[in-house]
Amino acid sequence: MSQLENRAGDDQRVPASAAALAGGGLIPFAAGAVGLWFADPAGFDAIANALVAYGAVILSFMGAIHWGVSLTLRPSPSGIRFAQSVIPALMGWAATLVPLVVALPTLIVGFILVFAWDLGAVRDGLVPPWYRTMRTVLTAAVSILLLIALGAAAV
């Protein structure tokens, strides 16, 4: 059976490679969130900047997934689908320009917004059903880690 063929029951299971890479992508979020709590004053800003920059890059990546999906649609999708793919990058960029106590909630809102669009893409059959499972776990983890970082920023 080729990799392109769907086996019964496999459509809900996150592929091991996707799970491993996505899970590894949480490491910088965790390192930044924990690092902010233990950083000395001299290192705090560097950790904060790295965390926000990484969050902005990943948020942009999440939007780009929707751009790629939109490119495959025939007839061409509405401008709304393309706008949904660009908004996360703009939110991520904006997060790099504001104070940390504004940047972190901006990123959280961005990730939750993209998650809502991800659920729509699963519902519409544009991405595989397992994507919902993966994105649910990742959105929850990233949101919690950014909230932990926000706690450190507010202290």
Side-chain angles (χ1 to χ4, degrees):
M1 182 177 291
S2 79
Q3 287 184 325
L4 297 177
E5 292 178 85
N6 186 18
R7 294 174 293 199
D10 279 358
D11 59 344
Q12 296 292 335
R13 187 174 47 187
V14 178
S17 58
L21 290 167
L26 292 174
I27 294 170
F29 285 111
V34 172
L36 286 177
W37 279 98
F38 296 102
D40 60 24
F44 187 89
D45 286 344
I47 294 170
N49 290 337
L51 177 60
V52 171
Y54 183 71
V57 167
I58 296 302
L59 190 56
S60 295
F61 174 79
M62 299 313 303
I65 290 170
H66 289 274
W67 183 276
V69 167
S70 295
L71 290 176
T72 67
L73 298 177
R74 298 291 180 263
S76 293
S78 69
I80 292 172
R81 281 211 182 267
F82 284 115
Q84 286 176 334
S85 69
V86 174
I87 289 169
L90 294 173
M91 290 181 76
W93 171 69
T96 67
L97 303 175
V98 296
L100 187 59
V101 295
V102 176
L104 295 172
T106 299
L107 291 173
I108 293 168
V109 169
F111 281 108
I112 292 170
L113 186 63
V114 172
F115 175 66
W117 295 334
D118 291 339
L119 294 179
V122 172
R123 180 198 63 231
D124 295 343
L126 302 175
V127 295
W130 59 260
Y131 195 64
R132 174 192 343 252
T133 302
M134 186 176 77
R135 291 294 297 128
T136 300
V137 170
L138 292 174
T139 301
V142 167
S143 297
I144 290 167
L145 290 167
L146 291 175
L147 284 170
I148 291 169
L150 184 59
V155 171

